[in-house]
Amino acid sequence: MAADMLTAYYSKGCDSRELFSSLEIAKDENFEEHLNKYDTIFLNMQEFLSRSSNVKELLERVEGKVIRELKKQYPDVELYDENDLAETMQDIFAESECPFIVIIDEWDCIFREFKHDKAAQEIYLDFLRDLLKDKEYIYLAYMTGILPIKKYGTHSALNMFDEFSMIDPGPLAEYVGFTEKEVEALCQKYQMDINEKNWYDGYSFEEVESVYSPKSVVSCMRLGKLGNYWNQTETFEALQIYIDMNFEGLRDDVLRMIAGEAVPVNTGIFTNDMITFRIKDDVLTLLIHLGYLGYHYAEKTVFIPNNDIRLKFICAFLDIYVKASLKIQYRKEESI
């Protein structure tokens, strides 16, 4: 939604004045300056990935499709290399003097789908760096995803970005989900009981003390009843796997969080992928980014934010113990 909204606002390929005229942004003094003024490229990487068998094929598809669109818009521009997206954008900018805005949705799907293919991940990061970093034709690049930007050792391949995450959303905190004021208005409109807020409340940031899970709130209001609406960002089986790793007593910490406690965590050593787990802090940090856990920035502690997600952890534990019991029973029968 954020990516589509930004595309509608910046793209000179549409007239979205009416769409934004009744919103807060229309009161900003710079509203007219940027409205529909830029060549805007929107890429949903998950869609490209679903049509590709590997990263190389994905990138070829991205370049081919975008270059085709650019050639339609600028048929008279002489291109140095029609197969190179960065060169094509540079040539068009030199002619039009109109910079590009690049919006990439689900930018990190490569790291989730090709978890163990480091070479593919590096090829992808190199492509983005060559396309976006220090390029005069880029006015703004905006990327959405679950994971922070992957690091090479202690350095990032895309160090020109400001990152806002579930650990530190900064000025975007109030847009992570619904705020208390917004939920109160929704409850009044849809005749729901605000006193049941602990079902979906719980995310807390320095800038905003109370943020509600947006998908769960929307489902609750639409269907008119409380329920377990958590929209899993990872598969349910993955949550069980992470708990079952049991690094440094991880299971005990999860049980403490189920009981309502917060436990300390060090998020600074996380390598921003889904396979490098050395200590329990790596697992806990990933679960923060996936939305399964909340994070107190000041106290550097982690917790289960609400009842909706708490039920997921309880179910995960029950399934782990059931499977463990079945294994024990199977071994007993074998021994007999």
Side-chain angles (χ1 to χ4, degrees):
M1 290 174 64
D4 286 338
M5 177 189 68
L6 290 174
T7 302
Y9 174 72
Y10 284 115
S11 177
K12 68 178 186 180
C14 63
D15 181 1
S16 58
R17 182 182 304 275
E18 184 177 351
L19 179 66
F20 292 101
S21 61
S22 62
L23 304 179
E24 193 71 22
I25 191 174
K27 302 173 185 176
D28 190 279
E29 61 181 10
N30 296 317
F31 174 65
E32 296 284 347
E33 179 184 352
H34 301 288
L35 180 65
N36 304 137
K37 293 294 196 304
Y38 301 91
D39 282 323
T40 304
I41 297 173
F42 173 77
L43 303 172
N44 185 325
M45 285 300 180
Q46 187 65 55
E47 291 182 0
F48 285 101
L49 181 61
S50 66
R51 292 171 172 79
S52 309
S53 57
N54 54 59
V55 171
K56 182 178 179 181
E57 186 178 327
L58 178 148
L59 297 180
E60 289 175 350
R61 184 177 291 272
V62 169
E63 290 199 281
K65 187 171 183 179
V66 176
I67 290 173
R68 184 185 66 178
E69 293 296 319
L70 291 176
K71 288 169 68 176
K72 287 181 181 178
Q73 290 296 118
Y74 294 95
D76 299 327
V77 175
E78 183 178 354
L79 303 177
Y80 176 76
D81 186 347
E82 294 187 358
N83 298 311
D84 188 301
L85 179 55
E87 290 281 0
T88 297
M89 292 172 69
Q90 178 60 54
D91 289 341
I92 290 174
F93 172 70
E95 185 79 16
S96 68
E97 297 184 349
C98 179
F100 288 90
I101 287 180
V102 177
I103 297 172
I104 302 177
D105 196 17
E106 302 229 34
W107 86 276
D108 61 339
C109 64
I110 302 301
F111 299 95
R112 291 182 274 124
E113 297 294 331
F114 297 98
K115 298 178 184 179
H116 301 280
D117 194 341
K118 185 177 180 181
Q121 294 173 11
E122 292 183 358
I123 289 172
Y124 178 59
L125 285 174
D126 287 341
F127 167 79
L128 292 178
R129 179 176 55 193
D130 181 60
L131 182 68
L132 303 174
K133 187 173 182 179
D134 300 328
K135 294 297 193 292
E136 63 175 344
Y137 58 76
I138 295 292
Y139 182 80
L140 169 72
Y142 177 90
M143 304 197 304
T144 74
I146 297 170
L147 296 174
I149 293 172
K150 174 65 179 174
K151 302 172 184 175
Y152 288 141
T154 58
H155 300 286
S156 170
L158 299 172
N159 57 7
M160 68 287 196
F161 280 92
D162 291 323
E163 286 192 288
F164 306 102
S165 70
M166 292 295 286
I167 289 175
D168 185 11
L172 300 183
E174 64 181 299
Y175 308 110
V176 169
F178 288 109
T179 63
E180 184 84 17
K181 184 178 180 180
E182 290 169 334
V183 171
E184 288 177 356
L186 288 170
C187 285
Q188 185 175 2
K189 179 178 179 180
Y190 291 93
Q191 299 181 333
M192 298 296 293
D193 186 1
I194 187 64
N195 294 320
E196 299 288 350
K197 66 178 184 177
N198 59 344
W199 265 89
Y200 311 120
D201 190 10
Y203 296 102
S204 179
F205 308 108
E206 280 191 306
E207 299 82 358
V208 182
E209 293 184 0
S210 185
V211 175
Y212 292 72
S213 173
K215 173 63 168 63
S216 298
V217 169
V218 169
S219 297
C220 178
M221 299 300 165
R222 286 180 59 246
L223 300 177
K225 63 179 181 179
L226 295 169
N228 186 222
Y229 299 118
W230 173 245
N231 188 27
Q232 293 164 267
T233 51
E234 265 282 86
T235 63
F236 183 54
E237 290 77 12
L239 178 57
Q240 296 169 311
I241 291 170
Y242 298 142
I243 295 173
D244 208 29
M245 287 177 178
N246 201 27
F247 288 127
E248 305 170 295
L250 175 61
R251 285 186 212 161
D252 292 336
D253 280 346
V254 173
L255 285 172
R256 288 169 57 194
M257 288 189 288
I258 289 175
E261 296 182 38
V263 300
V265 62
N266 178 5
T267 62
I269 60 173
F270 185 56
T271 55
N272 300 348
D273 63 37
M274 303 181 75
I275 59 171
T276 309
F277 300 113
R278 300 154 298 184
I279 59 176
K280 69 178 180 180
D281 287 338
D282 292 328
V283 179
L284 292 174
T285 303
L286 176 60
L287 292 177
I288 296 170
H289 287 298
L290 295 176
Y292 281 111
L293 296 176
Y295 179 67
H296 283 305
Y297 187 87
E299 292 83 4
K300 303 294 186 286
T301 57
V302 67
F303 58 95
I304 295 175
N306 54 53
N307 289 343
D308 195 9
I309 297 175
R310 182 171 286 104
L311 282 177
K312 288 294 182 185
F313 278 96
I314 292 172
C315 290
F317 259 99
L318 288 174
D319 198 56
I320 288 170
Y321 285 121
V322 167
K323 289 179 179 177
S325 298
L326 290 174
K327 287 180 181 178
I328 292 172
Q329 182 64 33
Y330 178 70
R331 288 170 185 166
K332 285 181 179 179
E333 292 175 355
E334 278 190 330
S335 63
I336 294 173

